[in-house]
Every structure is written in C-alpha cells, then in structure tokens.
Amino acid sequence: MSVLQPAFQATLLFWFLLLVPAVVFALCIHGLERFIQRRLVSRFGWRSVLVTGWLGTPIHEMSHVAMCLLFRHRVDEVQLFDPDVRDGRLGFVRHSFRRGNWFEEIGNLFVGTAPLLGGSLVLGLLTLLFFPQAISVLIDAVRQTPTGSAMTLGDLPGVLGSAFGSLGRAFDPASFRFWMYAYLVTCVAAHMAPSRSDYAGAWRGTILGASVAGLVTLVVFLVLRLDTAAVIDQASTLLAPALVIAAMALGLVTASAGIVAAVTAIFPRTHGM
C-alpha cells in the first residue's frame, strides 16, 4: 500500500495537469462561440451565421476528417458546407470505426474534439500571415523565459503577459488589414467548438482513453519508481508551450467576441435568440 498510494497520487496529479487546462479551454471556446453566434442571429437572423460559416465550417469539418484519417476511421460522407435551416446544421462528417479496436475506439475522442485543434492552428496561421511580427514576439517570449531555462508552468503568466502586450501593440485598428484579419478570425472562432454530436461521439473514446492512459501511467510510476516531483516538473515543461498556443487562440476568440459585441450593439435585436 505504501508503494501504490504515492504512485496513484502521482498519476492523478499528472493527468490533472494535462486534462484540466484542456477542459477549461474547451468550455471557454464553446461559450464564446455560442455568444458570437447568438449575437449575430439575434440581430440579423439565422442566415447571418453563413457570413462566418463559409470559412469556419469547412475548417471544422476538415479537422474531423484529418483525425479520422489519423486514427484509421472510414470517412463515409463529408459535407464541408451544406447549410440546413431546418436543423441549423452547416456541415457534417459521417465516419465509422471497428468496434473493439482500441486504437480506433480511442480515436473517437480526438475526432470529436478535432475542431479545437484545427481552429487553433488556423488562428495561428492567420496571425502569421497578417502579422508575422506578432508571432515572432510570441516565440521570443517563449524562448526568453524569466527563469532563463526551459519554460515551465510557473513562467506562463510572465510569458503570456509579455506576448499579449506586444501582440496588442502590433495591431493597428485603423487599418483595413486589421479588420480583414479580425473578420477571418471571427469566421474561425464562431465555428471551432465541437458540437453536441461531436461531444457525444467523443464520449466512448474518452472513457476508454482515460482508462488506458491512467492504467499505463500508474504502471510506469510503480515499475520504474520515478521521482514524482521530477516527472510532474517535466510534464509541466512539455505542457507550457501548448498552453501558450491555447491561450493565444483563446485570446483571439475572446477579442473576436468583443468585436462582434461592439459592432452589433448599434443594431436592434430583431430575432428571438
């Protein structure tokens, strides 16, 4: 029991560090997306979603397809942009997998949540395209951490503060370039959260993936007798850059929601949402 308890505690802490930021990120993105869509629909009607959906929906669906291919799921049907006013659906991907195949089963988790990753990557690419100097500032901030070594979770607030301060100074709200960038970011932000059906599909993979990953981690801690503090420190070092990317994406989506709120404030609410 004396050996099992610390290994079990280390396993819980390890996965807490990995999973909680991802869950918080997903919930925030989901809430901001709903705000953007509800704000547009309440002012301009359901078809206003098409103004952002022409870009955001194909990115959303292609993210699903990419993960289907990675986890060997069969892609049965794809509609990258097929608006349906009856159910509000803008596109879809139908896929199938071999039940009982653990790799494909776990793949459901990644297929379902793929738009979060795909959307974040596209937001980064848009920033690189429109404001490459802003990405350079972010990279420099990651490299030049306050501790002068590999970035850890403790360095995260300082890195993000420096990076977002510099990012803000790189943008010029008076330029057409800025507003084109803001529009494209809004297109992606308004459609990058997984849908209810996506989450439902990911549930089976989540249970299996969590069980397998938790068991493997526990066995590793037990067999190798790794130092818990060293492992957690290494995990935080690996996690910190990913959190910077997630925080950048979340910051852009939040800014997009703010712009939508400000622009639509001058229009009366004409629809029921």
Side-chain angles (χ1 to χ4, degrees), residues 30-103:
H30 187 80
L32 289 166
E33 177 188 295
R34 284 180 62 83
F35 171 81
I36 292 172
Q37 292 193 4
R38 285 177 176 271
R39 190 82 177 185
L40 290 173
V41 172
S42 67
R43 266 64 177 180
F44 310 114
W46 182 82
R47 292 191 180 278
S48 64
V49 178
L50 305 183
V51 176
T52 58
W54 69 270
L55 177 62
T57 301
I59 292 171
H60 181 113
E61 305 304 343
M62 284 190 292
S63 300
H64 287 312
V65 171
M67 284 298 173
C68 283
L69 297 177
L70 181 62
F71 284 91
R72 301 202 302 254
H73 285 209
R74 187 176 70 185
V75 179
D76 300 311
E77 186 179 2
V78 178
Q79 289 293 342
L80 294 182
F81 189 57
D82 183 32
D84 188 340
V85 68
R86 292 170 299 179
D87 58 13
R89 186 180 62 192
L90 299 179
F92 62 88
V93 173
R94 294 194 177 102
H95 62 100
S96 55
F97 60 96
R98 291 175 293 178
R99 295 185 179 275
N101 183 300
W102 68 269
F103 182 75

Side-chain angles (χ1 to χ4, degrees), residues 107-118:
N108 283 307
L109 167 61
F110 298 92
V111 172
T113 58
L116 292 171
L117 176 59

